[in-house]
Amino acid sequence: MILGIGMDNTFLVGMIALGLMLVLIVLGVRVVFAAAVVGFLGLVEFRGWGPGGGIAGIVPHSKSSVYALSVLPMFIFIGFVAFHAGMTQTLFDAARKWLGWMPGGLAVATVFATAGFAAVSGASTATSAVFSRVAIPEMLRNGYSKQMSAGVVASAGTLATLIPPSAILVIYAIIVETSVGDLLLAGFLPGIVSAMVYASIIVIWSMARPGAAPSVSGFTWGERIASLPGITPILAVVVIIMSSIYTGWATPTEAGALGAFVILVLALARRTKLSAIRGSLMESAKLTVMIFSLIWGVLIFVRFLGFSGLPGAFTEWIVALPTNPMIILLCILLGYAVLGMFMDAIGMLLLTLPVVYPAVMALNGGSYVSVEDSAFGVSGEMAPIWFGIIAVKMAEICLITPPIGLNCFVVNGVRPDIPITTVFKGVAIFFVADVITIGVLILFPEIVTWLPELDLEAWWNG
Amino acid sequence: MADNAGTLARIDRLAAPIENFANLLAGLAILALMMLGVTQIVMRSVFNSPISGYIDLVELSMASMAFLGAAYCQRLGAHIRMEIFIGRLSGRALWLVEAFATLVAIFIIGMLIYYSWGHFMRSYTMGDTTMDAELPVWPSKLLVPLAFGIWFVRLLLQLAGSIRLLINPDLVPEAVVIMKDVAEQAQDEIHEAMGDEGARP
């Protein structure tokens, strides 16, 4: 007991805690400490020092030693080694030969090459960094504007978070306790749809401005076919990860391990220095501990939230609102867009989901609702997956919006000759594309749910 | 405070190798987990004899990845936070808020060391084992207070560093995280993704 309210008014304690956490985070306390300290004090208030502190003391170990989470370090490691495996140039080269003839062909090629690289890397920012080196010089040489070249590279990097292996999708699955495998599968098609929307916007934009983004043609079919063997390692990793989850021949962790192994062997075959591999290990360990800290910190807070009954109260309030559920959903997404301008994507999702997620599920009609009776046209079983993809896509937009859109700063960092304002202007049309994509995913949830619902396992086993 | 100059930096240089080593261990655990996964696939699909207690092994190994790098991550300022407010401060105001934020961290990590130690001791005295392979659980649980202990020392150093600058903001910063603006963070990201090849052309 600290305040002396205890269990008499759990709602009040919950509100005080939420307010305190907000103050701490705005002050600049690291998210793991802010969430853990508020959760800890709250548990002590409810249960006393011994039992309350005891609950908090168990969470870091028990919530980290979960098999499903072991896929995270694998995916993170793949991301850090992927650059050294050196497939970026071959990917871009192949995409250029196959897609260069389109209006804005090199930009379209960049989008699909990035989508391909996303299949071996879950790191959005790293993907933008890598393609700034590969694609921007080629586009500038062919007379593309700096704005267009930089914009497409910064934006296409965000595709990495939807196309498996994606760390942020795994984190979402852990927090809302849904299937990691289903979520990874679900990200695949929306990732492709995002890429298609990007490509369409580029084509339309280029046709409206003839000469601004010229096509490159003159490749023979022989050259095109010859460009394909170079991208087989990527296909191998895609097949390993997607097929394992689908058919169940390996768990996501094992598939991630095999994918990482393939990429590591490729990197070593390219005579990557051991110091670079060691560097990748150090970076992977650092990012892994950062993410795990966030997870247990937020889960201490979530344990407390459960006692407070706050998520339930928030859900009841939201469901009782006379407003159309779709409008409420749009307001929540708008909230994410604004919050994302000031906060890291993973931190934002972890902090908000414990309260927002149950409310959205209830708005849709609960766990057992059918597609027909649901508010958002997605069954109770599939709603967690569908909302996950939308929330993650939303969180990714914050990587390209001012003032702290990190992808844009990364492009500017690799190409100091392109001013940051030019990059932000360049991503504007892709921001529109992202809004269109989210609209499409809300209107046609089937794009998200089709792959996870497709029962390939039964087909595979006859 | 001039005669104090350098003391913190010296302790900082003593602590850093320990933190680096702990983080490297976490990195090696990632490598080991990868090899374990690949071996498991080969053993199961080629030899039809999966590694016994595989899931137990994975779960026990996770504590090393989840905790060992915490202090290293802290030293580099890589645990995320919102910098919209603190990023606008400078001088005494900045170090006051930094000191407060570090105190909050010291409090919670101290508490968690105490209570996770209890969690470890219960497991150690009861001789608690995993479900499948019956491996002892306590070594994995011991990693929490151990790694948090290193983290705690790093936080104490940062608190001392912040208070030193709070008293005299003109001193050369020691044992504190110098906040990076988003352009500098971008440079770090580029370096992480591409190594030395990613350095500015």
Side-chain angles (χ1 to χ4, degrees), chain A residues 28 30 49 61 133 249 254, chain B residues 44 79 81 115 140 197:
Chain A
R30 298 191 186 272
W49 285 94
H61 185 270
R133 289 279 293 282
W249 70 267
E254 289 161 8
Chain B
R44 192 179 48 214
H79 289 288
R81 64 167 169 183
Y115 286 105
S140 155
E197 294 175 58

Side-chain angles (χ1 to χ4, degrees), chain B residues 59-81:
Chain B
E59 293 194 343
L60 288 180
S61 73
M62 294 200 43
S64 43
M65 294 167 237
F67 305 112
L68 280 177
Y72 175 83
C73 195
Q74 181 72 34
R75 187 178 85 224
L76 298 183
H79 289 288
I80 61 163
R81 64 167 169 183

